[in-house]
Amino acid sequence: MNNEKGVLETNVLKGIFWAFIASALWGVSGTVLQFVSQQEKLEANWFLSTRTMIAGIILLVISAIVYKGHIFNVFGSWKSFLCIVAYGVFGIGANLYTFFMSVQTGNADASTILQYLSPLFILLGSMIFQKRKPLPIDVVVFVIAISGIILSLTQGDFSKLSISMESLIWGILSGVTAALYVVLPRPIVKTSSPMVILGWGTLIAGIIFNIRQPLWVDAPHLTTGIVLGVGAIILLGTILPFIILLHSLNFAPSEVVSLVDATQPVVTFILSIIFFNTGINLIKIIGALLVILAIFVLQNSHRKLTIDKHSEE
C-alpha cells in the first residue's frame, strides 16, 4: 500500500514538473513575442499568417503519426465541423491577434496578466448567458482580481496607466478570446484528441490569416532576430509546450496540472525585467500576485464544487 502511495505521489510530482516546464515555455514565448513585435518591428498579419500556418501543419503531421492518420474524425458531423471552425477563428485566431497587438502596443508582462484573467471571463460569461448565480467566493475573487489589475497597471500612481489605453483594450480582449479558446472546443474534446483539435484549429486560423495576408506576399526582410524569434515562438509558444502538457497528463490529473498555470505570467514578468528593463516595482508585483491568487482561488473552488457534484451523483 505504501509503495503504491509512493508511486502515485512520484507520478503526480512528475506531472507537475512537466506542466511547470510547459507553462514556463509559454512565458518565455511571450517575452520573445515582445522582442519581435517591438525591436524587430514585425508586422502582425504576416507574423500570424506564418506562425499559425507552420504550427498547424506541424501539429497535424505529428497527430497523423501518433494517431495513425485518424485526424479527420473531428469532422464527423456538421456540429463538430462548425465547432472546430469557430475554435480556429474566434478562439485561436482572435486570441493570437489580440495578444500580439496588446504586447506590441504595451509589454508582455502586462498583456500576459490580462490574458490570465480568462477564467474570470468564463465565469462572467456563465453568469450572463447561462443565468448562473455567483457564489460568495466569486465576488471575493472578482474584487481581488480587479484590485490586482489596478495595482499592476498603475504601479501605485492612480493618475496614469503603466501601459497605453490601446494595449489595455487589446489585453482585455485577449482575456476574452482566451476564454473562448477554452470554451469553444468543449463539445468535441471528449471525442477527439486535444492535439488534433489544436492542429486543425491552428491551421484554420492560418488559412484565415493567409487569406488576408499570404505569408509569401510582402514578407519582411528576414533578419537573424526575426527568423530565430518566429521559430522560437512557433516551437516554444505552440508545439513543444502543448506536447509537454499532454505528456504531464500521463502522470497527474488535469485539475492538478492546472495548478501551475501561474508559472507563465511569473516567467514573463521576470524575463521582462531582465531583458526589457521594465523595472521592479513593489506595487506592480503585489498587483500581479493578487491576480494570480484570485485565479488560483477561483479555479480551486470551482474544481472542488465539480468534484463534490460528481461524488454526489
Side-chain angles (χ1 to χ4, degrees):
M1 183 66 71
N2 289 333
N3 287 338
E4 291 180 0
K5 183 179 179 181
V7 171
L8 180 60
E9 290 178 349
T10 301
N11 284 341
V12 169
L13 289 175
K14 284 182 181 179
I16 292 174
F17 169 77
W18 286 115
F20 171 83
I21 297 298
S23 190
L25 289 176
W26 273 309
V28 172
S29 72
T31 309
V32 178
L33 180 61
Q34 181 170 342
F35 167 74
V36 299
S37 65
Q38 294 184 357
Q39 266 64 35
E40 294 293 336
K41 307 295 183 183
L42 197 59
E43 196 269 332
N45 291 323
W46 182 87
F47 165 74
L48 292 170
S49 294
T50 304
R51 174 184 181 177
T52 50
M53 184 60 73
I54 294 176
I57 291 173
I58 292 175
L59 284 168
L60 285 176
V61 169
I62 294 174
S63 297
I65 296 172
V66 173
Y67 300 105
K68 305 185 186 308
H70 298 159
I71 61 173
F72 296 98
N73 295 348
V74 70
F75 300 112
S77 67
W78 275 106
K79 180 181 178 181
S80 59
F81 173 78
L82 293 175
C83 184
I84 199 72
V85 170
Y87 172 58
V89 176
F90 302 109
I92 295 178
N95 180 246
L96 291 178
Y97 184 82
T98 53
F99 185 70
F100 182 96
M101 295 304 298
S102 180
V103 172
Q104 188 174 60
T105 56
N107 56 65
D109 57 331
S111 300
T112 303
I113 285 293
L114 289 169
Q115 182 174 251
Y116 190 65
L117 291 173
S118 59
L120 199 61
F121 289 116
I122 294 174
L123 175 64
L124 291 174
S126 67
M127 292 178 186
I128 295 171
F129 298 107
Q130 298 178 355
K131 308 298 181 183
R132 192 181 74 78
K133 293 183 179 180
L135 302 172
I137 190 65
D138 297 335
V139 178
V140 174
V141 163
F142 185 82
V143 172
I144 294 175
I146 296 302
S147 300
I149 286 295
I150 292 173
L151 290 176
S152 181
L153 297 184
T154 63
Q155 300 184 21
D157 184 355
F158 299 106
S159 64
K160 62 180 181 180
L161 294 172
S162 61
I163 59 173
S164 67
M165 181 59 69
E166 182 181 4
S167 178
L168 174 61
I169 293 172
W170 283 119
I172 293 173
L173 289 175
S174 76
V176 173
T177 54
L180 293 176
Y181 179 98
V182 173
V183 172
L184 288 174
R186 281 181 179 174
I188 54 176
V189 292
K190 293 182 179 180
T191 57
S192 301
S193 162
M195 186 183 293
V196 173
I197 294 172
L198 178 65
W200 280 115
T202 306
L203 183 63
I204 289 169
I207 293 171
I208 298 299
F209 282 128
N210 273 273
I211 290 175
R212 180 177 180 180
Q213 170 65 64
L215 62 89
W216 58 87
V217 175
D218 295 329
H221 174 65
L222 296 179
T223 64
T224 302
I226 289 178
V227 173
L228 292 178
V230 173
I233 291 169
I234 291 173
L235 183 64
L236 304 181
T238 305
I239 298 170
L240 196 55
F242 191 79
I243 292 174
I244 292 175
L245 189 65
L246 287 179
H247 179 65
S248 73
L249 295 174
N250 293 324
F251 303 101
S254 58
E255 57 266 22
V256 174
V257 166
S258 65
L259 294 178
V260 295
D261 284 349
T263 304
Q264 179 182 352
V266 171
V267 169
T268 302
F269 187 86
I270 294 172
L271 292 179
S272 294
I273 293 174
I274 296 173
F275 293 104
F276 299 108
N277 195 29
T278 55
I280 300 177
N281 182 290
L282 180 60
I283 301 299
K284 181 179 179 181
I285 293 174
I286 292 173
L289 290 176
L290 283 176
V291 173
I292 292 171
L293 173 64
I295 300 305
F296 176 83
V297 171
L298 177 67
Q299 291 178 325
N300 197 46
S301 62
H302 282 266
R303 185 182 302 112
K304 288 181 178 179
L305 284 175
T306 301
I307 293 173
D308 291 343
K309 182 179 179 181
H310 284 305
S311 62
E312 290 176 359
E313 294 175 351

